[in-house]
Amino acid sequence: NNNNNNSNNNYNCFVASGGFLVNSCSAYSNGSSGRSSKISPLFAKKKKRLSSEGKSGKIQVKLLKYVEGTGSIGDIVMVAPAFFEHKLKKTGSATRVSDENVAEEKAKEDAEKKEEIAVATAMQEKINDLELSITKKAGPDGTLFGGVGKKTILNELKQLYPKGALDAKHIKIISIKGDDEKELKGDIKNLGTYTTLIALMKDIKAKFQVSIVED
C-alpha cells in the first residue's frame, strides 16, 4: 500500500502549467511554498525548420547553371543537402534560397514584366496604322534592283523612334503581305505597298504599311 501511495504521489506531482508538465513535488519536499519550473523533456520545443528546408530534409536552391537531371538556370529546386554541398556549391551551380528570397524575386520579376508590357503597348499604339516609305531603284516593270527584307524594314522603322526602343532581341518583323493578302516567302521584290506585322512581345503585335517607292 505504501508503494502504491508513493506511486500515486509521484504521479500527482506533475501538473499542467502553461502547456508543460511541471514537477511540483520537489519544491514541497524541501519545505518551500513555491513550485519548481523544471520542464518535462517530452514537451521540449522542436528545432525550428528553416524556410529553405523541406519536410523531407531536402533544401531549396536556385540554379545558377544548367545541371543535367536537375534543372536550368534560374530554376528553384529541392535537393539533398549532400548533393548541394559536394557538387552544386563546389561548382558554383546553385545557391541556397529561402521562401522569402523566392517571393522577393518573383515580386521584382512581376514588376519588370508589368513595365515591359506597358512599354510594348505604348509602342504598339504608335506603330499601328503607320505608313513607312522606303525608296529603292527599280526597273521599268517595277522590279527592284535588290530586294527589301524584314531586317531592312525593321532598321528603317527604328529610325523613327528613340535609340534602343526597338532593339530587344524578341522584337522582329514576322509577316509581310502584298495586295493579294498572301504572305511573302522572301524579300519584297517589286514596288508597291505591303502590310507588315511586327512582334513587340509574345502577345503584343502591331500592323503597319510599308510602301516601296522608286528612287
Side-chain angles (χ1 to χ4, degrees):
N1 290 337
N2 289 336
N3 291 336
N4 290 336
N5 289 335
N6 289 336
S7 176
N8 290 334
N9 289 337
N10 289 335
Y11 176 79
N12 293 328
C13 282
F14 289 92
V15 297
S17 176
F20 299 102
L21 287 182
V22 178
N23 186 341
S24 60
C25 293
S26 58
Y28 287 111
S29 64
N30 293 330
S32 171
S33 61
R35 289 184 176 179
S36 168
S37 59
K38 184 181 292 185
I39 299 173
S40 170
L42 293 175
F43 292 84
K45 290 185 178 180
K46 293 182 179 180
K47 184 179 179 182
K48 187 177 180 181
R49 182 187 295 117
L50 298 177
S51 61
S52 61
E53 295 179 354
K55 293 182 179 180
S56 63
K58 291 187 176 182
I59 60 175
Q60 183 171 255
V61 301
K62 178 180 179 180
L63 297 181
L64 306 177
K65 299 177 181 179
Y66 167 75
V67 180
E68 187 175 357
T70 302
S72 301
I73 296 176
D75 287 352
I76 305 297
V77 296
M78 301 298 290
V79 299
F83 180 62
F84 172 71
E85 291 293 337
H86 300 306
K87 182 176 180 180
L88 300 181
K89 186 177 181 180
K90 285 186 176 181
T91 58
S93 300
T95 183
R96 288 191 68 169
V97 289
S98 66
D99 291 340
E100 292 77 13
N101 295 146
V102 175
E104 288 174 5
E105 187 167 325
K106 186 179 185 306
K108 182 179 178 181
E109 289 176 354
D110 289 345
E112 291 175 350
K113 188 71 172 181
K114 186 176 181 180
E115 176 65 19
E116 188 178 355
I117 291 173
V119 171
T121 301
M123 184 59 69
Q124 179 189 45
E125 294 175 357
K126 294 177 181 178
I127 295 177
N128 269 338
D129 302 323
L130 172 75
E131 293 184 8
L132 177 67
S133 180
I134 299 176
T135 58
K136 289 287 293 183
K137 293 186 180 297
D141 62 350
T143 301
L144 303 179
F145 297 149
V148 176
K150 295 176 179 178
K151 186 176 180 179
T152 299
I153 294 173
L154 181 57
N155 287 336
E156 290 293 329
L157 188 63
K158 287 179 179 181
Q159 306 306 313
L160 304 178
Y161 302 100
K163 186 176 181 181
L166 295 171
D167 284 347
K169 291 182 179 180
H170 61 265
I171 296 178
K172 56 185 177 181
I173 304 296
I174 58 176
S175 172
I176 302 173
K177 294 181 179 180
D179 292 336
D180 57 1
E181 290 299 313
K182 290 184 178 180
E183 186 171 344
L184 274 61
K185 294 182 178 180
D187 295 348
I188 296 174
K189 297 179 180 179
N190 297 282
L191 298 173
T193 301
Y194 300 83
T195 300
T196 308
L197 191 65
I198 182 173
L200 301 170
M201 283 186 69
K202 183 179 179 180
D203 299 316
I204 301 179
K205 302 175 179 64
K207 185 184 292 185
F208 63 102
Q209 302 296 314
V210 176
S211 294
I212 308 299
V213 298
E214 189 172 3
D215 188 358

